[in-house]
Amino acid sequence: MTAARLTIDLDAIAANWQALSRLSETETGATVKADAYGLGIGPVAQRLAEAGARTFFVALAEEGATLRKALGTGPRIFVFSGHMAGDTQSLRNLNLIPLINSAEQMVRHAEALAGHPFGVQLDSGMNRLGMEPAEWAAVRPMVLQAGPQLIMSHLACADDRLHVMNAEQLETFTRMTSGIDAPRSLAATGGILLGRDYHFDITRPGIGLYGGAPYDDAYPVATLSLPIIQVRDVEPGEAVGYSGTWVATRPSRIATVAAGYADGLLRSLSGKATLWAGDTPCPVVGRVSMDLITCDVTGLAVEPDALDILGAHQTVDALAEVAGTIGYEILTSLGGRYRRRYVGHGA
Ligand SMILES: *Cc1c(COP(=O)(O)O)cnc(C)c1O
């Protein structure tokens, strides 16, 4: 055993998609940007297509190119960044649908790819991507004339059901799209959970598919198991790791496992995270280093070959909370050194 092992349960991803699909009561797409949130766009998207997903969303045309190879010609692929300079060829050759974010992008699209399908992204209050009301009002007749495949916007605070911005953005989006026949989309995972008013014609869940909050009923998807390289005894008064931040107060057994912050196990987990030997928690002691984590296994009757950092006892959100971040960042930070294993039907 050398590298740490990341196990990805494709059936759990499919089951999460199906459950969100039942909640959506409308077409349910799948957001697979950033390599399917770090879990592998090819196997993940193929399993989702098998489960019934017909519409996929990525951030960049380059991701769309990888996705098109994995999925073949059938499914629709929308690109959130729209039609950027340099995208024209991939958009055309791979039949990707840009979500136009500005009048400038609309002009670029009309000049370079007249007749090629496109969608529109509106800014309903997040101030990140998309056309704001005044810009939209100016180009709206020209855009509608060209027949967009989708008109969408994104919610800034949907992870908080009670946030006032949810209803404000819903109202703005509804106003900006009133009287339009084109299909509309507002909800990602959080928006699906806000209820029917937010669903429109198609939803775009990402994190919920991969087992993350705010979809609390998600099946866990990722298990991450870190092999133990070495175990040593340390005496009271001895320090462990960089800067000697942890000092033994009793005779202790310290296990060193093969993963660190270069693998996305953030340094902010130092001295705070827990690894699991089966059902037994083992505290991380000292600093997380680039390739190694040290852990107190004093209590264990039997020393295992590996300790788990993600799994049944510790979800991505639980780990994220300890690190002071969100599940999205934990997943997308998981590095390239893991041995990845896909399990479940379609693996
Ligand atoms: C990332 C993203 C999504 C998916 O969001 P989740 O919170 O992961 O469900 C949907 N739409 C847009 C525009 C996004 O950027």
Side-chain angles (χ1 to χ4, degrees), residues 20 30-33 37 57 59 80 99 121 126 128-129 152-155 185-192 203-210 213-214 328:
L20 287 166
T31 299
V32 294
K33 62 192 180 189
Y37 292 40
F57 296 88
F80 290 137
L99 287 156
Q121 183 157 198
M126 188 173 184
R128 187 180 68 167
L129 269 187
M152 59 150 293
S153 187
H154 194 51
L155 297 167
S185 174
L186 182 61
T189 303
I192 293 174
T203 58
R204 317 183 301 270
I207 193 69
L209 308 175
Y210 311 112
Y328 298 72

Side-chain angles (χ1 to χ4, degrees), residues 179-198:
I180 290 177
D181 285 336
R184 292 181 290 175
S185 174
L186 182 61
T189 303
I192 293 174
L193 303 173
L194 293 178
R196 186 180 293 235
D197 288 352
Y198 289 81

Side-chain angles (χ1 to χ4, degrees), residues 19-35:
L20 287 166
S21 182
R22 282 190 292 275
L23 289 174
S24 290
E25 299 162 320
T26 177
E27 185 182 348
T28 304
T31 299
V32 294
K33 62 192 180 189
D35 197 28

Side-chain angles (χ1 to χ4, degrees), residues 45 178 186 201 219 242 244 282 296 315:
S178 71
L186 182 61
D201 301 298
Y219 295 102
Y242 280 123
C282 305
D296 186 345
T315 64

Side-chain angles (χ1 to χ4, degrees), residues 2-339:
T2 49
R5 190 212 289 273
L6 177 61
T7 305
I8 294 145
D9 185 342
L10 296 174
D11 284 351
I13 295 176
N16 288 333
W17 183 80
Q18 270 147 353
L20 287 166
S21 182
R22 282 190 292 275
L23 289 174
S24 290
E25 299 162 320
T26 177
E27 185 182 348
T28 304
T31 299
V32 294
K33 62 192 180 189
D35 197 28
Y37 292 40
L39 298 179
I41 192 169
V44 167
Q46 282 166 355
R47 185 68 186 83
L48 286 168
E50 199 190 304
R54 288 288 165 269
T55 302
F56 292 81
F57 296 88
V58 293
L60 301 168
E62 284 82 353
E63 296 176 335
T66 309
L67 181 58
R68 181 57 80 203
K69 283 197 192 84
L71 289 178
T73 52
R76 290 194 299 173
I77 301 175
F78 285 100
V79 180
F80 290 137
S81 59
H83 191 148
M84 293 167 69
D87 285 349
T88 304
Q89 262 203 333
S90 351
L91 295 174
R92 178 181 43 222
N93 296 345
L94 299 162
N95 192 23
L96 310 175
I97 312 175
L99 287 156
I100 299 298
N101 287 298
S102 61
E104 187 195 350
Q105 284 200 347
M106 192 65 225
V107 170
R108 177 180 295 131
H109 189 72
E111 285 177 359
L113 283 182
H116 184 92
F118 70 98
V120 175
Q121 183 157 198
L122 301 178
D123 178 44
S124 56
M126 188 173 184
N127 285 306
R128 187 180 68 167
L129 269 187
M131 293 188 232
E132 297 194 13
E135 188 175 25
W136 173 232
V139 299
R140 181 177 149 142
M142 186 257 262
V143 169
L144 294 181
Q145 177 84 29
Q149 305 276 308
L150 184 69
I151 300 190
M152 59 150 293
S153 187
H154 194 51
L155 297 167
C157 304
D159 58 332
D160 176 358
R161 302 180 66 89
L162 301 175
H163 204 288
V164 293
M165 253 185 93
N166 296 327
E168 288 171 7
Q169 286 194 265
L170 174 61
E171 210 233 289
T172 303
F173 182 63
T174 304
R175 191 166 6 93
M176 290 173 85
T177 58
S178 71
I180 290 177
D181 285 336
R184 292 181 290 175
S185 174
L186 182 61
T189 303
I192 293 174
L193 303 173
L194 293 178
R196 186 180 293 235
D197 288 352
Y198 289 81
H199 296 167
F200 292 92
D201 301 298
I202 179 166
T203 58
R204 317 183 301 270
I207 193 69
L209 308 175
Y210 311 112
Y215 183 39
D216 297 330
D217 296 333
Y219 295 102
V221 165
T223 309
L224 181 52
S225 195
L226 314 178
I228 296 178
I229 305 172
Q230 191 182 6
V231 184
R232 77 186 62 247
D233 292 306
V234 303
E235 296 302 323
E238 285 192 277
V240 171
Y242 280 123
S243 308
T245 56
W246 184 84
V247 178
T249 56
R250 56 168 187 175
S252 304
R253 294 276 292 164
I254 300 299
T256 303
V257 298
Y261 61 73
D263 304 293
L265 302 177
L266 307 176
R267 191 164 171 278
S268 58
L269 294 168
S270 297
K272 292 195 283 186
T274 303
L275 305 187
W276 292 82
D279 296 330
T280 309
C282 305
V284 166
V285 296
R287 289 267 163 84
V288 170
S289 25
M290 187 184 293
D291 321 297
L292 300 167
I293 296 174
T294 40
C295 178
D296 186 345
V297 295
T298 310
L300 296 184
V302 182
E303 274 155 20
D305 292 333
L307 298 169
D308 291 342
I309 190 162
L310 290 176
H313 290 293
Q314 189 157 257
T315 64
V316 287
D317 295 301
L319 189 65
E321 173 140 2
V322 178
T325 180
I326 53 175
Y328 298 72
E329 191 180 22
I330 295 289
L331 285 176
T332 56
S333 300
L334 295 174
R337 289 201 289 191
Y338 298 115
R339 279 183 307 148

